[in-house]
Amino acid sequence: MDVIVLGGGLMGTASAYFLASRGARVTLIERNRVGAAATVASFGNIRRTGRHLSQLPLAHRSLRLWGEAEKMLGRDVEFRATGHIRLIFDEGGLADMRTYAEAAQPWGLELDELGPREIRARFPGLGPDAIAASFSPQDGSGNPRLIAPAFADAARKLSADIVEGADVETIRHTGSGFLVITSKGSFAAECLLNTAGAWGARIAARFGEEVPLDARGPQMGVTEPLPHRILPVVGIWTRDKDYGAYLRQVERGNIVFGGAAERVPVDLDPGHAAADPMRLPGQLRAVARLLPSIAQVAVIRTWSGCEGYVRDMLPVMGRSATTPGLFHAFGFSGHGFQLGPGVGDAMAELITTGRCETPLDDFRVDRFSRA
């Protein structure tokens, strides 16, 4: 079986690797460099907490693969299962956390509820005004700059062809397969997998499948290195988007942070988003609620990227509803990093066997036309 994968982010490179490991002949086509769009803009959060319940089976599948990534890919992608804590500062947040924890339990996600005293004892310096927190000990973080290139290199070792810097000019369904004409040549295959991220809706539209997707850029930042003291990824349960911040400390000591700043619209041509320094003070005030000591630290870099947000905040995954041999996996709406390995594994299973052990029905591309 020949498969063309369009898009070289985490979803595309993971799909290429798992397809090649199942014996498919794979060509991955990327318009820029592998991992240069949404993946590299990611915060690096590997969390299951707070996900739409129908995503949890895929998230569990992916977490298992994150745990195997170093052995599987032959390099350290800095996955660390240090846990994920979400702090709570008001009764509304506490009610939301408890409702979610109860709903998620049948889906295989167990959340520990921590009181103020336990937060102080286990995680000193975090959220001194927090009234409670949830904690998921198996979750953690990974390095967004390492994971897509690692999957691409591992796919190459399995004879996948990774074509970078290739602008797609034409995509045609030939009846027996697909022809993709690019600035670096023409490629033909029996199957086509659309993992083009924020550009994925454009590709789906070529085949009569309309997806309500907006391209937006998050704002991320990183501080100077500090003594390494914060192990878990830190987030918040809140109904106020102005306080929706998150942070993690990498082993080198830098604190990476994001959230609490409106994601800005991005023009897909050229598809670059810039961080806005005017939004940084408000963002840091929200981060300081989680970690007050960050107010005394220098921010050394900010950045943004291009992510695809679907109207219902669920991804598009699975078979095309119009075109045999076409498959989609895009629109992960700013929370796809944790899912990446599981998405690649699930799509490879679906394409090569015609079935998938992980339920994908909620992510069907035709859910909008059916609605």
Side-chain angles (χ1 to χ4, degrees):
M1 172 182 286
D2 295 296
V3 183
I4 293 172
V5 179
L6 290 181
L10 176 52
M11 307 306 169
T13 55
S15 296
Y17 169 77
F18 287 111
L19 281 163
S21 69
R22 287 175 175 267
R25 293 176 294 276
V26 181
T27 301
L28 182 147
I29 300 171
E30 164 57 39
R31 68 194 291 268
N32 198 324
R33 299 185 313 278
V34 160
T39 302
V40 80
S42 171
F43 171 65
N45 197 359
I46 297 175
R47 66 156 178 94
R48 293 166 297 163
T49 306
R51 289 194 175 278
H52 192 283
L53 297 177
S54 64
Q55 284 190 358
L56 285 175
L58 184 61
H60 296 324
R61 179 175 187 158
S62 199
L63 183 62
R64 175 180 58 81
L65 292 167
W66 274 109
E68 299 169 0
E70 183 172 356
K71 181 179 179 181
M72 182 170 63
L73 302 177
R75 69 176 73 171
D76 180 13
V77 293
E78 298 182 7
F79 168 64
R80 304 290 184 264
T82 52
H84 181 261
I85 185 171
R86 292 183 82 166
L87 299 167
I88 301 166
F89 294 90
D90 54 54
E91 293 298 327
L94 182 58
D96 291 345
M97 185 276 287
R98 287 174 173 169
T99 298
Y100 181 82
E102 183 178 359
Q105 193 169 7
W107 292 80
L109 177 60
E110 297 280 349
L111 292 181
D112 300 331
E113 181 178 329
L114 310 182
R117 194 170 293 177
E118 193 169 7
I119 296 170
R120 315 292 178 262
R122 294 178 61 179
F123 308 108
L126 292 182
D129 298 326
I131 63 171
S134 68
F135 187 61
S136 177
Q138 288 81 36
D139 292 332
S141 62
N143 191 325
R145 295 181 176 277
L146 299 180
I147 187 64
F151 267 119
D153 287 347
R156 282 190 187 96
K157 291 175 183 176
L158 295 173
S159 299
D161 189 11
I162 310 295
V163 183
E164 297 179 282
D167 291 322
V168 173
E169 298 166 359
T170 303
I171 305 173
R172 287 205 302 266
H173 185 231
T174 63
S176 60
F178 297 86
L179 177 66
V180 179
I181 301 173
T182 79
S183 58
K184 290 200 169 180
S186 299
F187 305 90
E190 178 183 345
C191 296
L192 179 70
L193 172 57
N194 170 19
T195 59
W199 293 264
R202 286 185 172 182
I203 293 172
R206 293 178 185 233
F207 297 94
E209 298 181 299
E210 298 295 330
V211 175
L213 180 146
D214 295 316
R216 297 194 174 274
Q219 177 149 313
M220 311 298 300
V222 64
T223 72
E224 62 184 320
L226 303 166
H228 188 247
R229 294 174 180 166
I230 305 168
L231 285 178
V233 177
V234 185
I236 185 173
W237 288 97
T238 182
R239 300 174 184 179
D240 187 342
K241 66 179 182 179
D242 291 335
Y243 286 107
Y246 41 83
L247 65 93
R248 65 183 179 95
Q249 188 174 27
V250 302
E251 292 170 358
R252 293 173 291 280
N254 310 77
I255 295 173
V256 184
F257 62 87
E262 191 71 26
R263 292 175 171 89
V264 298
V266 180
D267 185 347
L268 288 177
D269 300 308
H272 300 305
D276 181 358
M278 299 301 293
R279 296 187 295 154
L280 186 58
Q283 191 175 33
L284 286 173
R285 282 193 293 273
V287 175
R289 196 181 192 196
L290 308 180
L291 181 68
S293 61
I294 203 169
Q296 309 301 320
V297 178
V299 175
I300 61 174
R301 188 168 71 90
T302 58
W303 68 93
S304 187
C306 186
E307 298 174 330
Y309 288 79
V310 181
R311 180 197 300 157
D312 59 8
M313 295 298 285
L314 292 175
V316 172
M317 268 187 82
R319 292 183 179 87
S320 164
T322 63
T323 310
L326 174 63
F327 298 83
H328 301 291
F330 69 90
F332 287 86
S333 305
H335 52 254
F337 186 74
Q338 191 274 350
L339 299 176
V343 170
D345 193 32
M347 294 309 299
E349 180 189 13
L350 178 63
I351 292 169
T352 58
T353 71
R355 57 177 180 78
C356 183
E357 67 178 26
T358 301
L360 302 177
D361 280 353
D362 278 10
F363 315 139
R364 289 174 53 144
V365 67
D366 63 346
R367 65 185 185 265
F368 307 104
S369 59
R370 287 186 296 156

